[in-house]
Amino acid sequence: MAPYTSALAEELAPDVLDRFLRYVRIDTRSQRDRTSSPSTPGQLDLARLLVDELKAIGLADAELDENGYVMATLPATVDGDAPVIGLIAHVDTEPDTSGTGVEPIVHRAYDGAVIELPRDGTVLDPAAMPRLAEKAGHDVVTPSGDTLLGADDKAGVAEIMGAVAYLAAHPDVPRPTVRIGFTPDEEIGEGATLFDLDRFGAFCAYTLDGSTLGELQDETFTAAEAIITIEGVDVHPGFATGKLVNAARLAGRILAALPADLAPETTSGRDGFIHPYEVDASVARASIRVILRDFEDDRLEGHVALLRGIVEEVAASEPRARVDVMVRQQYRNMRAYVEQHPEVVEVAEAAIRAEGIEPLRTPIRGGTDGSRLSEMGLPTPNLFTGGHEYHSVREWASVQDMAAGAATIVRLAEAWAQRAGAVAVAKGGAVS
Ligand SMILES: [Zn+2]
């Protein structure tokens, strides 16, 4: 007996898997430094397929806009002031792992042993992957070894589609109006950029873009980027005595002065970090790109001040160099926005419990579309999908956990319908 979280999940599983296997075969890898939205045409192929499938389900207004966003409406089955809720997933996969020719493999009733994939000698070793080790008995989907799987975020897309198909076919299940949004270019940080909040028209939304079964995330990093530029004085080394100022050496001193215990490789949980991720250096000129992350605004400001202090000290030691630091805010911890509407998380917790799962409240050491959507005025926490080892050729997903994700969406619609009266009263009926 395969370990489903509920009879509903078991019922949803074949449809969710069928859709997932169809979506992952489409190459939707996004591309940095985009000149159009979406950044790549493959994303439109999946977007068009999703519009067709939404229409086939009966969502007549399903539509692809000029920027590659798919939106559709599942009408309510309850009367009154139930708030419109949104379901969001991204169609693109990340730029750095091949997404061309994905050939998914379903390992039925996984035996818990090492999984050897047919291509490139890729191996999934449960000894090194505790989450995989927990899934013995599940049906596990992997790629063939030379591409990513694309569960990030096609698991989320398939779960939304499976849940919406179920709800559309079961008008007896109480639900508020549900808006569906599929976004492009999330992996290059642009998923929220051209998201039309007015057109979406939801009170709150949920991204299906998490990982481990039960995850409910309403905290992301607060994020800044710093670009340090150094101009040295380039002189032929044979005539350099007392004249040459080496920008590359100054860059090296800045890097060496960064505290080792404030790095992504030495921190976890709720700790932040300073992470130089790209250095370009010559005698005449050097630049260092640094990302700074924390969960608390004041601690992030502390990291920025620390970085500035290091740069100023190095700059002061060599007045002939020109040193400049530019810092820009990238996104903020969504908690500040989501906690203004505690019911958004409460209802999601109730839905996860209704599916027989204990909610797992972990902060995201990164950002999501929801970080910026929340800041833009749409509170958008993140839910699990059942996919793991994202952004790698060892990416995998559990069919049972994906089905649990779809079932949780059905419970979420039910929970919002039940909650509708209370929310309308609490807000003086002003929810829209
Ligand atoms: Zn994702």
Side-chain angles (χ1 to χ4, degrees):
M1 195 48 206
Y4 286 99
T5 45
S6 70
L8 174 62
E10 186 163 11
E11 183 182 345
L12 292 170
D15 183 48
V16 171
L17 177 60
D18 193 49
R19 291 178 191 276
F20 178 68
L21 297 178
R22 193 154 59 238
Y23 306 155
V24 298
R25 290 172 186 276
I26 301 172
D27 183 353
T28 60
R29 177 150 68 153
S30 52
Q31 193 177 309
R32 287 190 194 86
D33 303 319
R34 69 178 187 174
T35 52
S36 63
S37 177
S39 60
T40 52
Q43 296 182 63
L44 291 176
D45 293 341
L46 177 53
R48 286 190 202 101
L49 174 67
L50 292 171
V51 169
D52 290 347
E53 292 190 7
L54 286 163
K55 285 185 172 161
I57 289 168
L59 276 53
D61 71 343
E63 178 176 31
L64 171 64
D65 77 8
E66 68 276 17
N67 297 312
Y69 290 72
V70 174
M71 288 188 187
T73 311
L74 179 68
T77 56
V78 293
D79 298 328
D81 293 322
V84 176
I85 68 157
L87 301 170
I88 297 172
H90 63 90
V91 298
D92 65 315
T93 61
E94 55 99 12
D96 297 325
T97 312
S98 174
T100 307
V102 174
E103 294 219 29
I105 301 170
V106 183
H107 308 260
R108 293 281 176 191
Y110 166 54
D111 61 5
V114 170
I115 301 177
E116 292 180 14
L117 299 182
R119 296 194 200 133
D120 285 4
T122 302
V123 166
L124 279 69
D125 183 354
M129 297 179 173
R131 294 293 181 194
L132 179 62
E134 290 164 10
K135 299 303 171 190
H138 284 228
D139 302 324
V140 170
V141 190
T142 66
S144 288
D146 56 349
T147 67
L148 48 62
L149 175 61
D152 178 11
D153 185 23
K154 288 161 184 170
V157 175
E159 289 160 29
I160 291 173
M161 292 295 289
V164 167
Y166 177 88
L167 286 166
H170 293 80
D172 49 308
V173 176
R175 62 176 194 246
T177 300
V178 179
R179 287 283 279 162
I180 293 102
F182 295 124
T183 63
D185 287 344
E186 189 269 354
E187 297 288 0
I188 57 167
E190 303 285 4
T193 309
L194 296 168
F195 192 98
D196 189 338
L197 280 191
D198 290 335
R199 197 159 76 87
F200 198 56
F203 160 69
C204 68
Y206 301 88
T207 47
L208 275 288
D209 195 16
S211 186
T212 301
L213 182 78
E215 270 174 355
L216 165 58
Q217 298 164 317
D218 61 345
E219 278 218 68
T220 57
F221 273 143
T222 286
E225 182 180 40
I227 300 173
I228 303 159
T229 51
I230 306 164
E231 282 178 37
V233 179
D234 195 5
V235 180
H236 186 288
F239 310 97
T241 312
K243 293 178 194 148
L244 184 144
V245 178
N246 191 338
R249 280 186 184 270
L250 294 174
R253 282 173 53 197
I254 291 170
L255 292 173
L258 294 173
D261 60 355
L262 263 185
E265 60 271 36
T266 56
T267 53
S268 61
R270 301 191 56 85
D271 299 327
F273 55 71
I274 302 174
H275 178 48
Y277 70 93
E278 194 180 284
V279 182
D280 184 17
S282 65
V283 172
R285 199 170 186 284
S287 69
I288 308 171
R289 297 173 81 98
V290 183
I291 56 171
L292 304 99
R293 300 288 188 260
D294 212 300
F295 289 97
E296 309 298 333
D297 290 359
D298 55 342
R299 289 206 330 231
L300 184 74
E301 278 165 32
H303 302 329
V304 171
L306 178 72
L307 179 66
R308 283 188 190 279
I310 288 168
V311 173
E312 276 161 24
E313 204 176 306
V314 171
S317 73
E318 181 44 272
R320 292 173 299 167
R322 269 188 51 193
V323 183
D324 186 52
V325 188
M326 195 194 73
V327 179
R328 74 179 179 97
Q329 194 79 28
Q330 290 179 296
Y331 54 84
R332 275 194 75 197
N333 188 339
M334 68 162 77
R335 180 188 57 199
Y337 310 101
V338 176
E339 70 188 1
Q340 293 170 24
H341 304 281
E343 67 272 27
V344 175
V345 166
E346 286 163 19
V347 173
E349 279 197 313
I352 293 169
R353 290 212 169 88
E355 184 50 26
I357 308 164
E358 185 55 28
L360 201 60
R361 300 290 301 278
T362 50
I364 307 172
R365 291 178 65 79
T368 65
D369 271 352
S371 315
R372 282 175 64 211
L373 291 172
S374 296
E375 190 169 2
M376 287 156 66
L378 181 69
T380 308
N382 188 40
L383 296 172
F384 71 92
T385 64
H388 294 268
E389 302 287 331
Y390 287 168
H391 302 195
S392 87
V393 294
R394 291 173 301 281
E395 193 183 0
W396 60 274
S398 152
V399 173
Q400 281 73 16
D401 291 356
M402 286 197 286
T408 298
I409 295 171
V410 173
R411 315 278 185 202
L412 188 65
E414 278 183 288
W416 269 111
Q418 286 158 7
R419 176 96 183 197
V423 171
V425 169
K427 295 187 168 294
V431 286
S432 60

